[in-house]
Amino acid sequence: MMQQMLDFIFGRLKPSDFVQEPITAIAGYSMVGALILAIIGLTYFKKWRWLWRTWITTLDPKKIGIMYILVAIVMLLRGLADAVLLRAQQALDNAAGTLLTSNQFQQIFSAHGSIMIFFVAMGIIFGVFNLIIPLQIGARDVAFPFLNSVSFWLFVAGMILINAPLVVGQFSAAGWLAYPPLSELQYSPNSGVDYWIWSLQIAGIGSLLSGINFFVTILKMRAPGMTLMKMPIFVWSALASTGLIMFAFPILTATLGMLSLDRLMGMHFFTTTGGGNPMMYINLIWAWGHPEVYILVLPALGIFSEVVSTFSRKKIFGYTSMVIALLAIAILSFSVWVHHFFTMGTGADVNAFFGIMTMIIAIPTGVKVFNWIFTMYRGRVRFTTPMLWFMGFIVTFTLGGLAGVLMAVPAADFQLNNSLFLVAHFHTMIVGGVLFGAFAGFTYWFPKFTGFTLNERLGRYAFWNWIVGFLLAFVPLYILGFMGATRRLDSYDPSLGWQGLFIVAGIGVAIICVGVFFQLLQIGYSIKKRHENRVGNDPWNGRSLEWSIASPPPEYNYAVIPTVTQRDEFWEQKKKKHGSLIKPAYQDIWLPKNSGLGPIIGGFALLFGIAVIWYMWWLLVIGLIGVIVTVIIRLTSDDTERKLSAAAVAKYELKRGII
Amino acid sequence: MKHPIEAVAVQEKKTIGFWMYLMTDLILFASLFATFAVLRGQTAGGPSGSDIFNMPFVLLETMILLSSSFTVGLAVLGSRRGYKKQTICWLVVTFVLGATFLTLELTEFTRLVAEGYSWQRSAFLSAFFTLVGTHGLHIAVGLLWLVVLIVRLIKFRFRQSDIHRLALFGLFWHFLDVVWIFIFSIVYLIGGLT
């Protein structure tokens, strides 16, 4: 009776699930410790009300964007720690279990991949969308501010779920895409794969909602006069990326749903018995997964377009071809997914088709690379940190891209599939593309949202450590791949002679860590010296509209919505230097009221996730009803906006001396 | 209150956003349809579609759902002309039809499970229950939405925002109808007759 009661309340959660192996326990409890310290600090300094009012309940996309970036930075450190452990294990190697048990090793590489893609790269992308899109299109807000908050808190709920296995239970040991049949209940009976599924499912629904939100924002909220072909390239890249999100993420939702139904309800989608078909999962997951790569990289390419144009003091070379290239990449990205598993055995014709389509993507990408180089040509280039990241990107991205074209040849892929060559390739693209893009954008737009610049010298140190460490870490993997080293090895035979190269790769990661240290130091130091580094609206002599307003921008962004007549509107205005003496005619501005319902929905979604993972069915009902009721409360309330009167806006603008 | 022109712009955004959501939902269904198409023949020695589908029953379900699409259209028309009572009446009729449809679907499911043909039997049945069940889940959400709409219409004055919400509900309901037509043709007609 007592046991039944406990089973009902705790599902399959047992006290033994809290017992962790030492390394996991250290990581888990230090995270819990940091959280407790933060809670004590907030209570001691009486900051709870401030936190709730200014951050948690905010619907201001600028603040939501900053929160996305903060979460992504914390997750980047987690993912980096995972990488260090993996590299250390392979460098030390030999007797398995010297550092990590093979089970731990599997959990760590699964977590590393999932966290880096879903909670670092996606977090950065949505952070930058939130911060930059409304500013660049001359809008005061996103299309659906409340939905934006819901998306963010679903993202946080997913983030908590993916880190929870450090303390409770185990994480998935089935790789970052959890291929069946390994990820089916029969072979992964513990809570690990369920953690993976529901973390991604909840965060993924948030991403889907965000995608819709920003797509509509770009289509409907541009300043008057800003036709599609007058948008900054970054906005174009965001439009392509959000379009891909809307097409791709429902496939992920459906696929994860089916895998979960297999595990929870004994269905037979991807099982080896009952007529299920594991290869179907692999097709479905890559039908989402390949576009996902472009969802991440397109905005990074957009950031680089802004950076290279600003720091070369030239308009972007070949604007139209840039736009066409972006759209071509977006469309083609849906016709290449089979190149992730040429070895499935679809036959020569199908493989040839997907191989050729993959190679074709290199053409629009090449167009973009040449356009960037031509933008620099005869420009007055300033080699600031964002520009350094751009230069590093061009080199690594081209190298990685060529490796990709090589692997697009199905015959070659049979050799390289699942090898470290592949691992090196996609790290070159995602680290060298997405992450370097994010770093460039971070340095470039940092003064816009804080009012002061980042320290250049420390930025340069960070860059050089990163690029050297990066090449040292991944070039050996290309070579090892050719030597036959497969991915996800926790041990290998010493007679293979791989250890030397693995040690070099390990040294590379150590140097990257130094780079990350300099980045953290750069942020801390710059904040400390902020009074010396104060800058005005336009520290870089920028080109697009965001540089025309105060740094940091007021809550309403634009006191008067600008009228756009051409590309690089702000740059052209500066050239004309017309000092208009007409006092701007301010009008009342409507802003969304803060709402605590977004975080509450995120909280209930988290409860729902915990319930499914641990089979606590009563909690599942609570989570589900909670979400439904909260949504209904929000949708039936009409009083969601507050007015900022014209007089208040005028006063505020006067105070900043902007008239 | 907001300036009327701005209010219209807000509604326009919501309409487009809702269309976008519907399209993403359509892709979700497309994934399930594709899965069903792959797994249709994987009966693992269990029954195939023609063994278990009761076509007259499914036709009845279909007719009921199609009629509810008509009545929700009448409700939307009524709301545009400001006929509050008529709108509420047609919404109630829609609710009754939708609830009947859902009950019939659940009856069919219960019958299948009772006969030993649950989703655990074969990949074909997994795909069948998931695809049709996902549609049913959407209908259930729609019914909940309908209740909220009706309660609001009874409690409050007729407002522009209510008309707009009703129009969005109409879109949702028609969308589910379209998906059902595909389920009827691909799952039941093709699966039941071959």
Side-chain angles (χ1 to χ4, degrees), chain B residues 169-185:
Chain B
F169 175 76
L171 276 178
F172 183 67
W173 204 254
H174 294 316
F175 160 77
L176 290 181
D177 231 22
V178 172
V179 172
W180 180 259
I181 288 171
F182 278 95
I183 291 181
F184 181 67
S185 350

Side-chain angles (χ1 to χ4, degrees), chain A residues 222-482:
Chain A
R222 278 166 289 133
M226 185 182 276
T227 55
L228 286 174
M229 289 308 275
K230 288 186 186 125
M231 298 194 305
I233 292 283
F234 174 73
V235 179
W236 263 113
S237 74
L239 188 69
S241 171
T242 50
L244 285 178
I245 289 174
M246 291 194 302
F247 273 98
F249 268 78
I251 309 178
L252 177 72
T253 308
T255 314
L256 293 176
M258 285 188 270
L259 183 61
S260 194
L261 286 173
D262 271 4
R263 292 177 58 88
L264 290 174
M265 297 180 65
M267 290 201 182
H268 294 289
F269 285 108
F270 313 122
T271 53
T272 44
T273 55
N277 188 344
M279 278 323 289
M280 194 173 61
Y281 176 90
I282 295 165
N283 272 286
L284 282 168
I285 202 83
W286 282 113
W288 157 80
H290 199 83
E292 165 73 3
V293 177
Y294 290 99
I295 289 168
L296 300 176
V297 88
L298 290 183
L301 304 185
I303 293 173
F304 282 126
S305 303
E306 301 293 312
V307 165
V308 74
S309 159
T310 302
F311 291 103
S312 304
R313 298 185 214 190
K314 269 178 71 189
K315 65 178 184 197
I316 192 83
F317 182 90
Y319 178 94
T320 316
S321 62
M322 279 303 218
V323 172
I324 294 173
L326 278 171
L327 298 181
I329 295 174
I331 293 165
L332 287 172
S333 73
F334 276 99
S335 58
V336 300
W337 79 91
V338 173
H339 71 211
H340 295 270
F341 45 93
F342 279 140
T343 48
M344 175 171 80
T346 40
D349 293 342
V350 175
N351 278 357
F353 171 80
F354 283 96
I356 291 168
M357 294 311 283
T358 308
M359 290 177 220
I360 288 177
I361 289 200
I363 297 172
T365 320
V367 167
K368 298 188 77 69
V369 169
F370 283 113
N371 279 347
W372 289 318
I373 294 174
F374 285 131
T375 306
M376 288 171 72
Y377 177 65
R378 296 195 133 180
R380 275 195 254 160
V381 182
R382 285 171 290 170
F383 288 99
T384 51
T385 338
M387 206 57 192
L388 288 180
W389 289 114
F390 168 74
M391 309 283 275
F393 153 80
I394 280 279
V395 174
T396 56
F397 196 73
T398 311
L399 281 176
L402 289 175
V405 175
L406 196 162
M407 275 192 296
V409 180
D413 187 75
F414 272 71
Q415 176 63 31
L416 298 169
N417 186 50
N418 261 347
S419 73
L420 282 181
F421 187 89
L422 163 80
V423 173
H425 159 69
F426 71 70
H427 279 87
T428 324
M429 303 314 269
I430 292 182
V431 178
V434 181
L435 219 49
F436 283 13
F439 296 155
F442 187 78
T443 327
Y444 176 57
W445 279 307
F446 189 85
K448 178 80 316 197
F449 297 96
T450 56
F452 57 94
T453 50
L454 284 170
N455 184 289
E456 272 288 311
R457 176 194 292 238
L458 288 170
R460 279 200 302 276
Y461 290 172
F463 168 76
W464 285 110
N465 277 295
W466 256 100
I467 190 85
V468 171
F470 174 75
L471 291 173
L472 275 181
F474 290 104
V475 171
L477 297 197
Y478 282 111
I479 303 168
L480 281 165
F482 276 133

